[in-house]
Amino acid sequence: NAGVMQNPRHLVRRRGQEARLRCSPMKGHSHVYWYRQLPEEGLKFMVYLQKENIIDESGMPKERFSAEFPKEGPSILRIQQVVRGDSAAYFCASSPPGHQPQHFGDGTRLSIL
Amino acid sequence: AQSVTQLDSQVPVFEEAPVELRCNYSSSVSVYLFWYVQYPNQGLQLLLKYLSGSTLVKGINGFEAEFNKSQTSFHLRKPSVHISDTAEYFCAVIEVQGAQKLVFGQGTRLTINP
């Protein structure tokens, strides 16, 4: 029973490029959450999605960041025109509807040159 | 809004010694509580959770935690640690009814020395 799958595990981008991070939830889970872990900091909530709906995006930066969870396929976190401050580990978690706990993937470590 | 405070950023312990990692939270509503462990370059693995019932919860790898509502604490304990327990430990809370987002503490780095 596969867990939460994130890819790529490592992603290097130059300033100004776009970064796309993908997350496939656990089987049977229809809720996806994205968190960001900045160096030497804890994890901070970014966005909560269900299929085709953004439920809570209160933690998303107002510009350059977007997320989607289409009817088919993985959830995507998209960062446009990346800057050095976007360097972080981005974690995806999933859960069944209305249930806890959330199960986490291994993360994508984004480095900006 | 909720907040979580992990009182120790680093805890060094000798192998086979007991350990306690402290966690206090603040919330105006009922919350569920969790401890996660993060090994280097990996994601978060759930150690244990408190949803309801007995305030003493047992988790994986010999860890346990006690929910103390009056002191708003959820300290993690293990009676005898191993080298393999070296990792970062995160305490987290989530509203029972409301925003479904985990609020994490800053983490405690547990280092086990031989």
Side-chain angles (χ1 to χ4, degrees), chain A residues 24-68:
Chain A
S24 296
M26 285 180 69
K27 188 176 181 180
H29 289 190
S30 58
H31 292 204
V32 165
Y33 315 79
W34 286 92
Y35 294 83
R36 178 166 65 174
Q37 185 177 34
L38 291 164
E40 305 304 319
E41 292 189 23
L43 288 91
K44 298 282 194 281
F45 168 80
M46 299 182 76
V47 62
Y48 163 35
L49 310 103
Q50 298 173 17
K51 287 281 187 182
E52 299 184 283
N53 281 304
I54 296 175
I55 306 302
D56 181 353
E57 56 181 349
S58 58
M60 287 279 269
K62 293 287 184 279
E63 297 177 348
R64 302 187 297 108
F65 285 71
S66 62
E68 63 176 5

Side-chain angles (χ1 to χ4, degrees), chain A residues 9-10 33 35 37 40-45 48 56 58-59 91 98-107 109, chain B residues 32 34 36 38-46 49 51 88 90 94 99-107 109:
Chain A
R9 289 292 307 276
H10 300 274
Y33 315 79
Y35 294 83
Q37 185 177 34
E40 305 304 319
E41 292 189 23
L43 288 91
K44 298 282 194 281
F45 168 80
Y48 163 35
D56 181 353
S58 58
F91 291 95
H99 283 80
Q100 297 295 331
Q102 298 172 22
H103 297 266
F104 282 78
D106 282 340
R109 279 145 185 89
Chain B
Y32 296 138
F34 308 88
Y36 285 88
Q38 185 180 29
Y39 299 103
N41 295 315
Q42 293 188 23
L44 279 75
Q45 181 180 3
L46 181 70
K49 60 184 184 289
L51 303 183
E88 187 102 21
F90 292 96
I94 196 167
Q100 293 297 291
K101 52 187 176 185
L102 286 164
V103 176
F104 286 89
Q106 291 292 93
R109 186 158 298 174

Side-chain angles (χ1 to χ4, degrees), chain A residues 82-96:
Chain A
V82 296
V83 301
R84 288 248 169 90
D86 297 332
S87 294
Y90 292 82
F91 291 95
C92 172
S94 72
S95 72

Side-chain angles (χ1 to χ4, degrees), chain A residues 13-20 63-65 78-86 110 112:
Chain A
R13 285 287 177 265
R14 296 189 181 278
R15 281 178 295 172
Q17 291 185 320
E18 178 179 288
R20 281 184 179 241
E63 297 177 348
R64 302 187 297 108
F65 285 71
R78 182 181 177 206
I79 312 172
Q80 294 178 290
Q81 299 174 323
V82 296
V83 301
R84 288 248 169 90
D86 297 332
L110 176 64
I112 309 303

Side-chain angles (χ1 to χ4, degrees), chain B residues 9-94:
Chain B
S9 59
Q10 296 187 52
V11 174
V13 195
F14 286 108
E15 195 173 14
E16 297 184 10
V19 70
E20 178 179 80
L21 305 184
R22 296 179 292 170
C23 171
N24 285 88
Y25 70 94
S26 172
S27 178
S28 58
V29 299
S30 295
V31 294
Y32 296 138
L33 300 109
F34 308 88
W35 276 98
Y36 285 88
V37 59
Q38 185 180 29
Y39 299 103
N41 295 315
Q42 293 188 23
L44 279 75
Q45 181 180 3
L46 181 70
L47 270 180
L48 47 78
K49 60 184 184 289
Y50 175 78
L51 303 183
S52 65
S54 172
T55 56
L56 182 63
V57 292
K58 294 189 183 298
I60 62 171
N61 301 340
F63 284 93
E64 64 180 30
E66 185 153 21
F67 171 51
N68 188 320
K69 190 173 183 179
S70 63
Q71 297 187 4
T72 60
S73 67
F74 191 53
H75 301 332
L76 180 71
R77 295 191 289 262
K78 186 170 182 177
S80 176
V81 296
H82 302 284
I83 292 284
S84 59
D85 293 323
T86 296
E88 187 102 21
Y89 292 79
F90 292 96
C91 180
V93 302
I94 196 167

